[in-house]
Coordinates of all heavy atoms in Angstrom, one line a residue:
M1 N -8.2 9.1 13.1 CA -8.3 7.7 13.2 C -8.8 7.1 11.9 O -8.5 5.9 11.6 CB -9.1 7.3 14.4 CG -9.1 5.8 14.7 SD -7.7 5.5 15.8 CE -8.0 3.8 16.2
E2 N -9.6 7.9 11.1 CA -10.2 7.3 9.9 C -9.1 7.0 8.9 O -9.3 6.1 8.1 CB -11.2 8.3 9.4 CG -12.4 8.4 10.2 CD -13.4 9.4 9.6 OE1 -13.0 10.2 8.7 OE2 -14.6 9.3 10.0
S3 N -8.0 7.8 8.8 CA -7.1 7.6 7.7 C -6.0 6.6 8.1 O -5.1 6.3 7.3 CB -6.4 8.9 7.3 OG -5.7 9.4 8.4
L4 N -6.0 5.9 9.2 CA -5.0 5.0 9.6 C -4.9 3.8 8.7 O -3.8 3.3 8.4 CB -5.2 4.5 11.0 CG -4.8 5.6 12.1 CD1 -5.0 5.0 13.5 CD2 -3.4 6.0 11.9
P5 N -6.0 3.3 8.1 CA -5.9 2.1 7.2 C -5.1 2.5 6.0 O -4.5 1.7 5.3 CB -7.3 1.8 6.8 CG -8.1 2.2 7.9 CD -7.4 3.5 8.4
G6 N -4.9 3.8 5.7 CA -4.2 4.2 4.5 C -2.7 3.9 4.7 O -2.0 3.8 3.7
F7 N -2.2 3.8 5.9 CA -0.8 3.4 6.1 C -0.5 2.0 5.6 O 0.7 1.7 5.5 CB -0.4 3.6 7.6 CG -0.3 5.0 8.0 CD1 -1.2 5.6 8.9 CD2 0.8 5.8 7.6 CE1 -1.1 6.9 9.2 CE2 0.9 7.1 8.0 CZ -0.1 7.6 8.8
N8 N -1.5 1.2 5.3 CA -1.2 0.0 4.6 C -0.6 0.2 3.2 O 0.0 -0.7 2.7 CB -2.4 -0.9 4.5 CG -2.8 -1.5 5.8 OD1 -2.0 -1.7 6.7 ND2 -4.1 -1.8 6.0
G9 N -0.7 1.4 2.7 CA -0.1 1.7 1.4 C 1.4 1.6 1.5 O 2.0 1.1 0.5
F10 N 2.0 1.9 2.6 CA 3.4 1.8 2.7 C 3.8 0.3 2.8 O 4.9 -0.1 2.2 CB 3.9 2.5 4.0 CG 3.8 4.0 3.9 CD1 2.8 4.7 4.7 CD2 4.6 4.7 3.1 CE1 2.7 6.0 4.6 CE2 4.5 6.1 3.0 CZ 3.6 6.7 3.7
L11 N 3.0 -0.5 3.3 CA 3.3 -2.0 3.3 C 3.2 -2.5 1.9 O 4.1 -3.3 1.5 CB 2.2 -2.7 4.2 CG 2.3 -4.2 4.2 CD1 3.5 -4.7 4.9 CD2 1.0 -4.8 4.8
W12 N 2.2 -2.1 1.2 CA 2.0 -2.6 -0.2 C 3.2 -2.0 -1.1 O 3.7 -2.7 -2.0 CB 0.7 -2.1 -0.8 CG -0.5 -2.9 -0.2 CD1 -0.6 -3.5 1.0 CD2 -1.7 -3.2 -0.9 NE1 -1.8 -4.1 1.1 CE2 -2.5 -3.9 -0.1 CE3 -2.1 -2.9 -2.2 CZ2 -3.7 -4.4 -0.4 CZ3 -3.4 -3.3 -2.6 CH2 -4.2 -4.1 -1.7
A13 N 3.6 -0.8 -0.8 CA 4.7 -0.2 -1.6 C 6.0 -1.0 -1.3 O 6.8 -1.2 -2.2 CB 4.9 1.3 -1.3
S14 N 6.2 -1.4 -0.1 CA 7.4 -2.1 0.3 C 7.4 -3.5 -0.4 O 8.4 -4.0 -0.8 CB 7.4 -2.3 1.8 OG 8.4 -3.2 2.2
Q15 N 6.2 -4.1 -0.4 CA 6.1 -5.4 -1.0 C 6.3 -5.3 -2.6 O 6.9 -6.2 -3.2 CB 4.7 -6.1 -0.8 CG 4.6 -6.5 0.7 CD 3.2 -6.9 1.0 OE1 2.2 -6.8 0.2 NE2 3.0 -7.5 2.2
F16 N 5.8 -4.2 -3.1 CA 6.1 -4.0 -4.6 C 7.5 -3.8 -4.8 O 8.1 -4.3 -5.8 CB 5.3 -2.8 -5.0 CG 5.6 -2.3 -6.4 CD1 5.1 -3.0 -7.5 CD2 6.4 -1.2 -6.6 CE1 5.5 -2.7 -8.8 CE2 6.8 -0.9 -7.9 CZ 6.3 -1.6 -9.0
L17 N 8.2 -3.0 -4.0 CA 9.6 -2.8 -4.1 C 10.4 -4.1 -4.0 O 11.3 -4.4 -4.8 CB 10.1 -1.8 -3.0 CG 11.6 -1.5 -3.0 CD1 12.0 -0.9 -4.3 CD2 12.0 -0.7 -1.8
S18 N 10.0 -5.0 -3.1 CA 10.7 -6.3 -3.0 C 10.5 -7.1 -4.3 O 11.4 -7.8 -4.8 CB 10.2 -7.1 -1.8 OG 10.5 -6.4 -0.6
A19 N 9.3 -7.1 -4.8 CA 9.0 -7.8 -6.1 C 9.8 -7.3 -7.2 O 10.3 -8.1 -8.1 CB 7.5 -7.8 -6.3
V20 N 9.9 -6.0 -7.3 CA 10.6 -5.4 -8.4 C 12.1 -5.8 -8.3 O 12.8 -6.1 -9.3 CB 10.5 -3.8 -8.5 CG1 11.5 -3.2 -9.4 CG2 9.1 -3.5 -8.9
I21 N 12.7 -5.7 -7.1 CA 14.1 -6.1 -7.0 C 14.3 -7.5 -7.3 O 15.3 -7.9 -7.9 CB 14.5 -5.7 -5.5 CG1 14.6 -4.2 -5.4 CG2 15.9 -6.3 -5.2 CD1 14.8 -3.7 -4.0
A22 N 13.4 -8.4 -6.8 CA 13.6 -9.8 -7.1 C 13.5 -10.1 -8.6 O 14.3 -10.9 -9.1 CB 12.5 -10.6 -6.3
S23 N 12.5 -9.5 -9.3 CA 12.4 -9.8 -10.7 C 13.6 -9.2 -11.5 O 14.0 -9.7 -12.5 CB 11.1 -9.2 -11.2 OG 11.0 -7.8 -11.0
E24 N 14.1 -8.0 -11.0 CA 15.3 -7.4 -11.7 C 16.5 -8.3 -11.5 O 17.2 -8.6 -12.5 CB 15.5 -6.1 -11.1 CG 16.7 -5.4 -11.7 CD 17.1 -4.0 -11.1 OE1 16.6 -3.8 -9.9 OE2 17.8 -3.3 -11.7
R25 N 16.7 -8.9 -10.4 CA 17.8 -9.8 -10.2 C 17.7 -11.1 -11.0 O 18.7 -11.5 -11.6 CB 17.9 -10.2 -8.7 CG 18.4 -9.1 -7.8 CD 18.5 -9.4 -6.4 NE 19.0 -8.3 -5.6 CZ 19.1 -8.3 -4.3 NH1 18.8 -9.4 -3.6 NH2 19.6 -7.3 -3.7
C26 N 16.5 -11.6 -11.1 CA 16.2 -12.8 -11.9 C 16.5 -12.5 -13.4 O 17.2 -13.3 -14.1 CB 14.8 -13.3 -11.8 SG 14.5 -14.1 -10.2
F27 N 16.1 -11.3 -13.9 CA 16.3 -10.9 -15.2 C 17.8 -10.7 -15.5 O 18.3 -11.1 -16.6 CB 15.5 -9.7 -15.6 CG 15.6 -9.3 -17.0 CD1 15.1 -10.1 -18.0 CD2 16.1 -8.0 -17.4 CE1 15.2 -9.7 -19.3 CE2 16.1 -7.6 -18.7 CZ 15.7 -8.5 -19.7
C28 N 18.5 -10.2 -14.5 CA 20.0 -10.0 -14.7 C 20.7 -11.3 -14.7 O 21.8 -11.4 -15.4 CB 20.5 -9.1 -13.5 SG 20.0 -7.4 -13.7
V29 N 20.3 -12.3 -14.0 CA 20.9 -13.6 -14.0 C 20.6 -14.4 -15.3 O 21.5 -15.0 -15.9 CB 20.4 -14.5 -12.8 CG1 20.9 -15.9 -12.9 CG2 21.0 -13.9 -11.5
V30 N 19.3 -14.3 -15.8 CA 18.9 -15.0 -17.0 C 19.6 -14.4 -18.2 O 20.1 -15.1 -19.1 CB 17.4 -15.1 -17.1 CG1 16.9 -15.6 -18.4 CG2 16.8 -15.9 -16.0
S31 N 19.5 -13.1 -18.3 CA 20.0 -12.4 -19.5 C 20.8 -11.1 -19.2 O 20.2 -10.0 -19.2 CB 18.8 -12.1 -20.4 OG 19.3 -11.5 -21.6
P32 N 22.0 -11.3 -18.8 CA 22.8 -10.1 -18.3 C 23.0 -9.0 -19.3 O 23.0 -7.9 -19.0 CB 24.1 -10.7 -17.8 CG 24.2 -12.0 -18.4 CD 22.8 -12.5 -18.7
F33 N 23.2 -9.4 -20.6 CA 23.4 -8.4 -21.6 C 22.2 -7.6 -21.9 O 22.2 -6.4 -22.1 CB 24.0 -9.0 -22.9 CG 25.4 -9.7 -22.6 CD1 25.5 -11.0 -22.8 CD2 26.4 -8.9 -22.3 CE1 26.8 -11.6 -22.5 CE2 27.7 -9.4 -22.0 CZ 27.8 -10.8 -22.2
H34 N 21.0 -8.2 -22.0 CA 19.8 -7.5 -22.2 C 19.4 -6.7 -21.0 O 18.9 -5.6 -21.1 CB 18.6 -8.5 -22.5 CG 18.7 -9.2 -23.8 ND1 18.6 -8.5 -25.0 CD2 19.0 -10.5 -24.2 CE1 18.7 -9.3 -26.0 NE2 19.0 -10.5 -25.5
A35 N 19.7 -7.2 -19.8 CA 19.4 -6.4 -18.6 C 20.2 -5.2 -18.5 O 19.7 -4.1 -18.1 CB 19.7 -7.3 -17.4
K36 N 21.5 -5.2 -18.9 CA 22.3 -4.1 -18.9 C 21.8 -3.0 -19.8 O 21.9 -1.8 -19.5 CB 23.8 -4.4 -19.3 CG 24.7 -3.3 -19.2 CD 26.1 -3.7 -19.5 CE 27.1 -2.5 -19.4 NZ 28.5 -2.9 -19.8
R37 N 21.3 -3.4 -21.0 CA 20.8 -2.5 -21.9 C 19.4 -1.9 -21.6 O 19.1 -0.8 -21.8 CB 20.7 -3.1 -23.3 CG 20.3 -2.2 -24.4 CD 20.5 -2.9 -25.8 NE 20.1 -4.3 -25.8 CZ 18.9 -4.7 -26.3 NH1 18.0 -3.9 -26.8 NH2 18.6 -6.0 -26.3
L38 N 18.5 -2.8 -21.0 CA 17.1 -2.4 -20.8 C 16.9 -1.8 -19.4 O 16.0 -0.9 -19.2 CB 16.2 -3.6 -20.9 CG 16.2 -4.2 -22.3 CD1 15.3 -5.5 -22.3 CD2 15.6 -3.2 -23.3
L39 N 17.6 -2.3 -18.4 CA 17.3 -1.8 -17.0 C 18.4 -0.8 -16.5 O 19.4 -1.1 -16.0 CB 17.3 -3.0 -16.0 CG 16.3 -4.1 -16.3 CD1 16.5 -5.3 -15.4 CD2 14.9 -3.6 -16.2
K40 N 18.1 0.4 -16.8 CA 18.9 1.5 -16.3 C 18.5 1.9 -14.9 O 17.4 1.7 -14.5 CB 18.8 2.7 -17.2 CG 19.1 2.5 -18.6 CD 20.5 2.4 -18.9 CE 20.8 2.2 -20.4 NZ 22.0 1.5 -20.7
T41 N 19.5 2.4 -14.1 CA 19.2 2.8 -12.7 C 18.1 3.9 -12.6 O 17.2 3.9 -11.8 CB 20.5 3.3 -12.0 OG1 21.4 2.2 -12.1 CG2 20.2 3.6 -10.6
S42 N 18.2 4.9 -13.5 CA 17.3 6.0 -13.5 C 15.9 5.5 -13.9 O 14.9 6.0 -13.3 CB 17.7 7.1 -14.4 OG 17.8 6.6 -15.8
T43 N 15.8 4.6 -14.8 CA 14.5 4.0 -15.2 C 13.9 3.3 -14.1 O 12.7 3.5 -13.8 CB 14.6 3.1 -16.4 OG1 15.3 3.8 -17.5 CG2 13.3 2.6 -16.9
M44 N 14.6 2.4 -13.4 CA 14.1 1.7 -12.3 C 13.7 2.6 -11.1 O 12.7 2.4 -10.5 CB 15.1 0.6 -11.8 CG 15.4 -0.5 -12.8 SD 13.9 -1.3 -13.3 CE 13.4 -2.1 -11.8
A45 N 14.5 3.6 -10.9 CA 14.2 4.5 -9.8 C 12.9 5.3 -10.1 O 12.0 5.4 -9.2 CB 15.3 5.5 -9.6
A46 N 12.7 5.7 -11.3 CA 11.4 6.4 -11.7 C 10.2 5.4 -11.6 O 9.2 5.8 -11.1 CB 11.6 6.9 -13.1
I47 N 10.4 4.2 -12.0 CA 9.3 3.2 -11.9 C 8.9 3.0 -10.5 O 7.7 3.0 -10.1 CB 9.6 1.9 -12.6 CG1 9.7 2.1 -14.1 CG2 8.7 0.8 -12.2 CD1 10.3 0.9 -14.9
I48 N 9.9 2.8 -9.6 CA 9.7 2.6 -8.2 C 9.0 3.8 -7.5 O 8.1 3.6 -6.8 CB 11.0 2.2 -7.5 CG1 11.4 0.8 -8.0 CG2 10.8 2.2 -6.0 CD1 12.8 0.4 -7.5
V49 N 9.5 5.0 -7.8 CA 9.0 6.2 -7.1 C 7.5 6.4 -7.6 O 6.7 6.7 -6.7 CB 9.9 7.4 -7.4 CG1 9.2 8.7 -7.0 CG2 11.2 7.2 -6.7
V50 N 7.3 6.3 -8.8 CA 5.9 6.6 -9.3 C 4.9 5.6 -8.9 O 3.8 6.0 -8.4 CB 5.9 6.7 -10.9 CG1 4.5 6.8 -11.4 CG2 6.7 8.0 -11.3
T51 N 5.2 4.3 -9.0 CA 4.3 3.3 -8.6 C 4.1 3.3 -7.1 O 3.0 3.1 -6.6 CB 4.7 1.9 -9.1 OG1 6.0 1.7 -8.7 CG2 4.5 1.9 -10.6
S52 N 5.1 3.6 -6.3 CA 5.0 3.6 -4.8 C 4.1 4.8 -4.4 O 3.2 4.7 -3.6 CB 6.3 3.7 -4.2 OG 7.1 2.5 -4.4
A53 N 4.3 5.9 -5.1 CA 3.5 7.1 -4.8 C 2.0 6.8 -5.1 O 1.1 7.2 -4.4 CB 4.0 8.3 -5.5
V54 N 1.8 6.2 -6.2 CA 0.4 5.9 -6.6 C -0.3 4.9 -5.7 O -1.4 5.1 -5.3 CB 0.4 5.3 -8.1 CG1 -1.0 4.7 -8.4 CG2 0.7 6.4 -9.1
V55 N 0.5 3.9 -5.2 CA -0.1 2.9 -4.3 C -0.4 3.6 -2.9 O -1.5 3.4 -2.4 CB 0.9 1.7 -4.1 CG1 0.5 0.9 -2.9 CG2 1.0 0.9 -5.3
V56 N 0.6 4.4 -2.4 CA 0.3 5.0 -1.1 C -0.8 6.0 -1.2 O -1.7 6.1 -0.3 CB 1.7 5.6 -0.6 CG1 1.4 6.5 0.6 CG2 2.7 4.6 -0.3
A57 N -0.8 6.9 -2.2 CA -1.8 7.9 -2.4 C -3.2 7.2 -2.6 O -4.2 7.7 -2.0 CB -1.5 8.8 -3.5
G58 N -3.2 6.1 -3.3 CA -4.5 5.4 -3.5 C -5.0 4.8 -2.2 O -6.2 4.9 -2.0
M59 N -4.1 4.3 -1.4 CA -4.6 3.7 -0.2 C -5.1 4.8 0.8 O -6.1 4.5 1.5 CB -3.4 2.9 0.5 CG -3.1 1.6 -0.2 SD -4.4 0.4 -0.2 CE -4.2 -0.2 1.4
F60 N -4.5 5.9 0.8 CA -5.0 7.0 1.7 C -6.3 7.6 1.2 O -7.2 7.9 2.0 CB -3.9 8.1 1.8 CG -3.0 7.9 2.9 CD1 -1.7 7.4 2.7 CD2 -3.3 8.1 4.2 CE1 -0.8 7.2 3.7 CE2 -2.5 7.9 5.3 CZ -1.2 7.4 5.0
T61 N -6.4 7.8 -0.1 CA -7.6 8.4 -0.6 C -8.8 7.4 -0.7 O -9.9 7.8 -0.4 CB -7.4 9.0 -2.0 OG1 -7.0 8.0 -2.9 CG2 -6.4 10.1 -2.0
I62 N -8.6 6.2 -1.0 CA -9.7 5.2 -1.2 C -10.0 4.5 0.1 O -11.1 4.5 0.6 CB -9.4 4.2 -2.3 CG1 -9.4 5.0 -3.6 CG2 -10.5 3.1 -2.3 CD1 -8.9 4.1 -4.8
V63 N -8.9 3.9 0.7 CA -9.1 3.2 1.9 C -9.5 4.0 3.1 O -10.3 3.7 3.9 CB -7.9 2.3 2.2 CG1 -8.0 1.6 3.5 CG2 -7.7 1.3 1.1
G64 N -8.8 5.2 3.2 CA -9.1 6.1 4.3 C -10.6 6.6 4.3 O -11.2 6.8 5.3
L65 N -11.2 6.8 3.1 CA -12.5 7.2 3.0 C -13.5 6.0 3.1 O -14.7 6.2 3.6 CB -12.8 8.0 1.7 CG -12.1 9.3 1.6 CD1 -12.3 9.9 0.2 CD2 -12.7 10.3 2.6
K66 N -13.2 4.9 2.6 CA -14.1 3.8 2.6 C -14.2 3.0 3.9 O -15.2 2.3 4.1 CB -13.7 2.8 1.5 CG -13.8 3.3 0.1 CD -15.2 3.5 -0.4 CE -15.9 2.2 -0.8 NZ -17.2 2.4 -1.3
H67 N -13.2 3.1 4.8 CA -13.2 2.3 6.0 C -13.4 3.2 7.2 O -12.9 4.3 7.2 CB -11.9 1.6 6.2 CG -11.8 0.4 5.2 ND1 -11.5 0.6 3.9 CD2 -11.9 -0.9 5.4 CE1 -11.4 -0.6 3.3 NE2 -11.6 -1.5 4.2
T68 N -14.2 2.8 8.1 CA -14.4 3.5 9.4 C -14.0 2.5 10.5 O -14.3 1.4 10.5 CB -15.9 3.9 9.6 OG1 -16.2 4.7 8.5 CG2 -16.1 4.6 10.9
I69 N -13.2 3.1 11.5 CA -12.8 2.3 12.6 C -13.6 2.8 13.8 O -13.7 4.0 14.1 CB -11.3 2.6 12.9 CG1 -10.5 2.1 11.6 CG2 -10.8 1.8 14.1 CD1 -9.0 2.5 11.7
V70 N -14.1 1.8 14.5 CA -14.9 2.1 15.7 C -14.3 1.3 16.9 O -14.0 0.1 16.7 CB -16.4 1.7 15.5 CG1 -17.2 2.0 16.8 CG2 -17.0 2.5 14.4
S71 N -14.1 2.0 18.0 CA -13.6 1.2 19.2 C -14.8 0.9 20.1 O -15.7 1.7 20.3 CB -12.6 2.0 20.0 OG -13.2 3.2 20.5
V72 N -14.9 -0.4 20.5 CA -16.0 -0.9 21.3 C -15.4 -1.4 22.6 O -14.6 -2.3 22.6 CB -16.8 -2.0 20.6 CG1 -17.9 -2.5 21.4 CG2 -17.3 -1.5 19.2
F73 N -15.9 -0.8 23.7 CA -15.4 -1.2 25.0 C -16.4 -2.1 25.7 O -17.6 -1.7 25.8 CB -15.1 0.0 25.9 CG -14.7 -0.3 27.3 CD1 -13.4 -0.9 27.5 CD2 -15.5 -0.1 28.4 CE1 -13.0 -1.2 28.8 CE2 -15.1 -0.4 29.6 CZ -13.8 -1.0 29.8
D74 N -16.0 -3.3 26.1 CA -16.9 -4.2 26.9 C -16.5 -4.1 28.3 O -15.5 -4.6 28.8 CB -16.7 -5.6 26.3 CG -17.6 -6.6 26.9 OD1 -18.6 -6.2 27.6 OD2 -17.4 -7.8 26.7
P75 N -17.4 -3.5 29.1 CA -17.1 -3.3 30.6 C -17.1 -4.6 31.3 O -16.4 -4.7 32.4 CB -18.2 -2.4 31.1 CG -19.2 -2.4 30.1 CD -18.7 -2.8 28.8
A76 N -17.8 -5.6 30.8 CA -17.8 -6.9 31.6 C -16.4 -7.6 31.5 O -16.0 -8.2 32.5 CB -18.9 -7.8 31.0
T77 N -15.8 -7.6 30.4 CA -14.5 -8.2 30.2 C -13.3 -7.2 30.3 O -12.2 -7.7 30.3 CB -14.4 -9.0 28.9 OG1 -14.6 -8.0 27.8 CG2 -15.5 -10.1 28.9
N78 N -13.6 -5.9 30.3 CA -12.6 -4.9 30.4 C -11.7 -4.9 29.2 O -10.5 -4.8 29.3 CB -11.8 -4.9 31.7 CG -11.1 -3.6 32.0 OD1 -11.5 -2.6 31.4 ND2 -10.1 -3.7 32.8
V79 N -12.3 -5.2 28.0 CA -11.5 -5.3 26.7 C -12.1 -4.3 25.7 O -13.3 -4.1 25.6 CB -11.7 -6.7 26.2 CG1 -11.1 -6.9 24.8 CG2 -11.1 -7.8 27.1
T80 N -11.1 -3.6 25.1 CA -11.5 -2.7 24.0 C -11.2 -3.4 22.6 O -10.0 -3.8 22.4 CB -10.7 -1.4 24.1 OG1 -11.0 -0.8 25.4 CG2 -11.1 -0.4 23.0
E81 N -12.1 -3.4 21.8 CA -11.9 -4.0 20.4 C -12.1 -2.9 19.4 O -12.9 -2.0 19.6 CB -12.9 -5.1 20.1 CG -12.8 -6.3 21.0 CD -13.8 -7.4 20.7 OE1 -14.6 -7.2 19.7 OE2 -13.9 -8.4 21.4
Y82 N -11.3 -3.0 18.3 CA -11.4 -2.1 17.2 C -12.0 -2.8 16.1 O -11.5 -3.8 15.6 CB -10.0 -1.5 16.9 CG -9.4 -0.7 18.0 CD1 -8.5 -1.2 18.8 CD2 -9.8 0.6 18.1 CE1 -8.0 -0.5 19.9 CE2 -9.3 1.4 19.1 CZ -8.4 0.9 20.0 OH -7.9 1.6 21.0
I83 N -13.1 -2.2 15.5 CA -13.8 -2.8 14.4 C -13.7 -1.9 13.2 O -13.9 -0.7 13.3 CB -15.3 -3.0 14.8 CG1 -15.5 -3.9 16.0 CG2 -16.1 -3.6 13.6 CD1 -16.9 -3.9 16.6
V84 N -13.3 -2.5 12.1 CA -13.1 -1.8 10.9 C -14.2 -2.3 9.9 O -14.4 -3.5 9.7 CB -11.7 -2.1 10.2 CG1 -11.6 -1.3 8.9 CG2 -10.6 -1.7 11.2
Y85 N -15.0 -1.3 9.4 CA -16.0 -1.7 8.5 C -16.0 -0.7 7.3 O -15.6 0.4 7.4 CB -17.4 -1.8 9.2 CG -17.9 -0.5 9.8 CD1 -18.7 0.3 9.0 CD2 -17.6 -0.2 11.1 CE1 -19.2 1.5 9.6 CE2 -18.1 1.0 11.6 CZ -18.9 1.8 10.9 OH -19.4 3.0 11.4
V86 N -16.6 -1.2 6.2 CA -16.6 -0.5 4.9 C -17.9 0.4 5.0 O -19.0 -0.1 5.3 CB -16.6 -1.4 3.7 CG1 -16.7 -0.6 2.4 CG2 -15.3 -2.2 3.7
T87 N -17.7 1.6 4.6 CA -18.9 2.5 4.5 C -19.0 3.1 3.1 O -18.2 2.9 2.3 CB -18.7 3.7 5.5 OG1 -17.5 4.4 5.2 CG2 -18.6 3.2 6.9
D88 N -20.1 3.9 2.9 CA -20.3 4.6 1.7 C -19.4 5.8 1.7 O -19.5 6.6 2.7 CB -21.8 4.9 1.5 CG -22.1 5.6 0.2 OD1 -21.3 5.4 -0.7 OD2 -23.1 6.3 0.1
T89 N -18.7 6.1 0.6 CA -17.8 7.2 0.6 C -18.6 8.6 0.7 O -18.2 9.5 1.3 CB -17.0 7.2 -0.7 OG1 -16.3 6.0 -0.8 CG2 -16.0 8.3 -0.7
L90 N -19.7 8.6 0.0 CA -20.5 9.9 -0.1 C -21.0 10.3 1.3 O -21.2 11.5 1.5 CB -21.6 9.8 -1.1 CG -21.1 9.5 -2.5 CD1 -22.3 9.3 -3.4 CD2 -20.3 10.7 -3.0
S91 N -21.3 9.4 2.1 CA -21.8 9.7 3.4 C -20.8 10.5 4.3 O -21.2 11.3 5.1 CB -22.4 8.5 4.2 OG -21.3 7.6 4.5
K92 N -19.5 10.2 4.1 CA -18.5 10.9 4.9 C -18.2 12.3 4.3 O -17.7 13.1 5.0 CB -17.2 10.0 4.9 CG -17.3 8.9 5.8 CD -15.9 8.3 5.9 CE -15.9 7.2 6.9 NZ -14.5 6.7 7.1
L93 N -18.4 12.4 3.0 CA -18.0 13.7 2.4 C -19.1 14.8 2.7 O -18.8 16.0 2.6 CB -17.9 13.5 0.9 CG -16.7 12.6 0.5 CD1 -16.7 12.5 -1.0 CD2 -15.4 13.2 0.9
Y94 N -20.3 14.4 2.9 CA -21.4 15.4 3.1 C -21.9 15.4 4.6 O -21.8 14.6 5.3 CB -22.6 15.0 2.2 CG -22.2 15.1 0.8 CD1 -22.1 14.0 0.0 CD2 -21.9 16.4 0.2 CE1 -21.8 14.1 -1.3 CE2 -21.6 16.5 -1.1 CZ -21.5 15.3 -1.9 OH -21.2 15.4 -3.2

């Protein structure tokens, strides 16, 4: 349960992909000849794969270790709440 906040990395990677596609389309409309020369498919694929991997891995390694999820059950209202709080990374490693 501790590493579940790391899945937000996929959300961030998806948003990054949308931003890259939108900016590429704008660049192709504004300057089609420069875009054809500068934006190759293999280059864009490499940029997308590398940055998405860095974002997802960073979210799993940093966010997964820094956040702790605790479930709190209130018997009076019969409600379970999940609380996410930031902890010290070193305390989880030792």
Side-chain angles (χ1 to χ4, degrees):
M1 188 87 175
E2 289 178 345
S3 64
L4 285 181
F7 285 108
N8 286 336
F10 292 109
L11 173 71
W12 285 33
S14 172
Q15 291 173 348
F16 172 76
L17 178 63
S18 297
V20 167
I21 290 171
S23 59
E24 180 185 17
R25 287 181 181 174
C26 288
F27 187 58
C28 288
V29 168
V30 171
S31 182
F33 296 116
H34 290 291
K36 183 178 179 183
R37 185 171 40 101
L38 296 175
L39 300 175
K40 304 282 186 209
T41 304
S42 60
T43 306
M44 292 305 295
I47 289 171
I48 289 170
V49 167
V50 168
T51 53
S52 295
V54 167
V55 168
V56 171
M59 290 295 283
F60 271 103
T61 57
I62 295 171
V63 175
L65 290 175
K66 295 289 281 184
H67 289 76
T68 300
I69 301 171
V70 177
S71 61
V72 179
F73 177 70
D74 185 9
T77 60
N78 200 21
V79 174
T80 302
E81 294 181 7
Y82 295 98
I83 300 170
V84 179
Y85 62 93
V86 179
T87 60
D88 183 21
T89 306
L90 295 176
S91 65
K92 284 188 172 184
L93 294 177
Y94 297 110

